[in-house]
């Protein structure tokens, strides 16, 4: 029996060593071993909030995830925590706010991102239940393949001297190479922007409002009102080419104007939240080719800082 235990202990040593490396280099600071993390992964942001829940949060998809939080604090004069993450659906946004309300009864303010892309039934990602299990179960985190790949990537970058942090979405586009597609087509806009609407078409076909999740959004808004939490709903800007090549061909512009936006205005009055619409009613006068990295995401150097100034000045 003793020999068996010794053999098992020897077998366990490499596994223990691997998990020590995992804990040291995983990029999401799950175990709180680092002062902070630059990871924008949802598990990183929610874990950080659970450890130190603040009074003001930003919730939404990648269009709100890349904010320079020092700039946000400087413009608004208040400290915020960013819980937005890539691909967040309306369902997930509502889940995050409800979770934050449970984590912090002293929550004071929420900025909540919406867009034509997230209010439709054609996009309804649902990751929050898995995320909550991962947040509460270190073993689930350590045995998750995705997080192990992330750790190995972070370790590889560290060994190669590559600085950690989220990649900038920015470009000083050069003509003609940055305006020419693989098939030789030369576009008026840089290729990443010019071809972006193609990726949105599957979500635009059959576009219809997600009534179930919008009902949950209203319940969330009512909870914020009842708890005295200031809620600001933000519709982020999109490039003109998304409007003309993705929204208009499928009647989304008309549906938003006649169905959703009037309904949103009624809910705002009923539940006491503010609406800042940069997607349809108050579209910023941006140079799309220079200030948009693609159809949804503002260039993190030339476009996003300008919009952050505008947004948090308008929030006041």
């Amino acid at each position: 029996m003793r020999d068996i235990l010794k053999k098992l202990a020897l077998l366990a040593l490499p596994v223990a060593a691997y998990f020590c490396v995992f804990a040291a280099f995983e990029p999401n600071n799950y175990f709180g071993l680092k002062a902070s993390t630059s990871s924008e992964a949802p598990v990183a942001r929610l874990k950080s909030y659970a450890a130190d829940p603040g009074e003001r949060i930003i919730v939404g998809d990648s269009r709100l995830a890349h904010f320079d939080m020092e700039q946000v604090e400087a413009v608004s004069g208040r400290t915020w925590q960013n819980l937005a993450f890539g691909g967040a659906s309306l369902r997930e946004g509502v889940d995050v706010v409800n979770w934050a309300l449970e984590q912090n009864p002293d929550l004071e303010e929420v900025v909540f991102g919406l867009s034509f892309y997230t209010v439709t039934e054609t996009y309804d990602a649902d990751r929050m239940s898995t995320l909550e299990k991962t947040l509460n179960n270190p073993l689930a985190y350590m045995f998750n393949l995705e997080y192990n790949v992330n750790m190995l990537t972070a370790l590889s970058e560290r060994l190669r001297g590559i600085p950690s942090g989220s990649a900038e979405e920015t470009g000083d586009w050069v003509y003609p190479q940055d305006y020419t597609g693989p098939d030789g087509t030369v576009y008026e806009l840089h290729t990443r922007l010019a071809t972006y609407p193609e990726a949105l078409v599957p979500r635009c076909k059959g576009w219809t409002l997600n009534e179930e999740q919008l009902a949950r959004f209203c319940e969330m808004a009512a909870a914020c009102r009842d708890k005295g939490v200031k809620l600001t709903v933000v519709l982020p800007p999109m490039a003109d080419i998304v409007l003309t090549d993705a929204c208009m061909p499928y009647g989304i512009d008309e549906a938003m104007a006649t169905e959703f936006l009037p309904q949103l205005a009624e809910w705002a009055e009923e539940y006491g939240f503010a609406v800042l619409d940069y997607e349809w009613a108050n579209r910023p006068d941006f140079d799309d080719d220079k200030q948009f990295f693609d159809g949804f995401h503002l260039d993190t150097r030339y476009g996003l800082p300008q919009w952050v100034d505008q947004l948090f000045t308008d929030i006041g």
Side-chain angles (χ1 to χ4, degrees):
M1 183 67 179
R2 184 174 298 175
D3 289 341
I4 294 175
L5 292 175
K6 287 181 179 179
K7 291 178 180 179
L8 289 175
L10 288 173
L11 289 173
L13 283 176
V15 177
Y18 176 80
F19 283 126
C20 287
V21 173
F22 179 90
F25 290 98
E26 58 87 19
N28 300 311
N29 199 26
Y30 182 93
F31 301 101
L33 301 179
K34 310 176 187 72
S36 62
T37 176
S38 59
S39 173
E40 295 178 356
V43 68
R45 292 193 156 175
L46 297 185
K47 190 70 175 178
S48 176
Y49 188 79
D52 183 22
E55 298 172 342
R56 299 171 189 85
I57 60 173
I58 298 167
V59 177
D61 62 15
S62 55
R63 286 165 283 185
L64 278 66
H66 304 323
F67 290 173
D68 179 335
M69 298 310 292
E70 291 183 0
Q71 181 189 3
V72 170
E73 182 173 351
V75 175
S76 67
R78 302 187 295 281
T79 300
W80 297 77
Q81 288 166 283
N82 199 334
L83 305 187
F85 53 85
S89 64
L90 174 58
R91 176 194 297 270
E92 291 172 332
V94 171
D95 286 343
V96 169
V97 174
N98 289 337
W99 175 84
L101 288 170
E102 293 178 0
Q103 294 292 312
N104 184 11
D106 297 321
L107 187 65
E108 293 183 0
E109 193 166 357
V110 175
V111 168
F112 190 94
L114 279 181
S115 80
F116 81 87
Y117 189 83
T118 61
V119 298
T120 174
E121 285 187 350
T122 58
Y123 186 66
D124 190 22
D126 183 7
R127 291 166 286 181
M128 192 61 185
S129 59
T130 301
L131 275 170
E132 286 194 85
K133 291 178 182 177
T134 303
L135 291 172
N136 297 322
N137 186 350
L139 289 178
Y141 181 72
M142 296 177 73
F143 283 100
N144 183 285
L145 177 60
E146 177 185 352
Y147 300 134
N148 277 270
V149 171
N150 292 343
M151 182 279 294
L152 292 171
T153 301
L155 177 58
S156 174
E157 291 175 348
R158 176 75 66 86
L159 293 174
R160 288 181 291 155
I162 299 174
S164 62
S166 58
E168 278 194 305
E169 293 185 339
T170 185
D172 292 302
W173 311 110
V174 178
Y175 188 88
Q177 54 262 44
D178 292 328
Y179 293 77
T180 305
D183 62 354
T185 301
V186 180
Y187 300 101
E188 293 183 3
L189 303 168
H190 64 79
T191 305
R192 184 182 291 272
L193 176 56
T195 59
Y196 194 76
E198 298 174 14
L200 301 179
V201 168
R203 305 298 183 191
C204 295
K205 288 181 178 179
W207 188 96
T208 185
L209 291 174
N210 191 334
E211 300 292 352
E212 178 185 354
Q213 296 309 315
L214 287 171
R216 293 186 66 236
F217 166 80
C218 289
E219 293 173 358
M220 178 208 77
C224 287
R225 176 199 60 196
D226 295 345
K227 295 176 182 293
V229 177
K230 178 184 176 182
L231 174 63
T232 302
V233 173
V234 176
L235 285 75
M238 60 180 170
D240 291 342
I241 194 172
V242 174
L243 172 62
T244 58
D245 291 18
C247 294
M248 295 175 69
Y250 297 97
I252 295 172
D253 56 327
E254 183 177 351
M256 289 291 290
T258 60
E259 296 179 50
F260 181 67
L261 293 177
Q263 181 66 76
L264 185 63
E266 292 181 11
W267 289 336
E269 184 174 354
E270 179 178 357
Y271 300 112
F273 61 81
V275 176
L276 296 176
D277 179 8
Y278 306 97
E279 188 176 53
W280 303 95
N282 186 29
R283 294 171 56 78
D285 185 21
F286 286 142
D287 177 343
D288 287 4
D289 189 53
K290 182 175 182 179
Q291 292 184 275
F292 274 91
F293 184 71
D294 58 34
F296 272 164
H297 304 93
L298 287 161
D299 186 290
T300 52
R301 186 185 307 164
Y302 301 116
L304 188 60
Q306 289 76 16
W307 184 54
V308 167
D309 279 344
Q310 180 180 1
L311 172 60
F312 284 91
T313 297
D314 291 345
I315 289 175

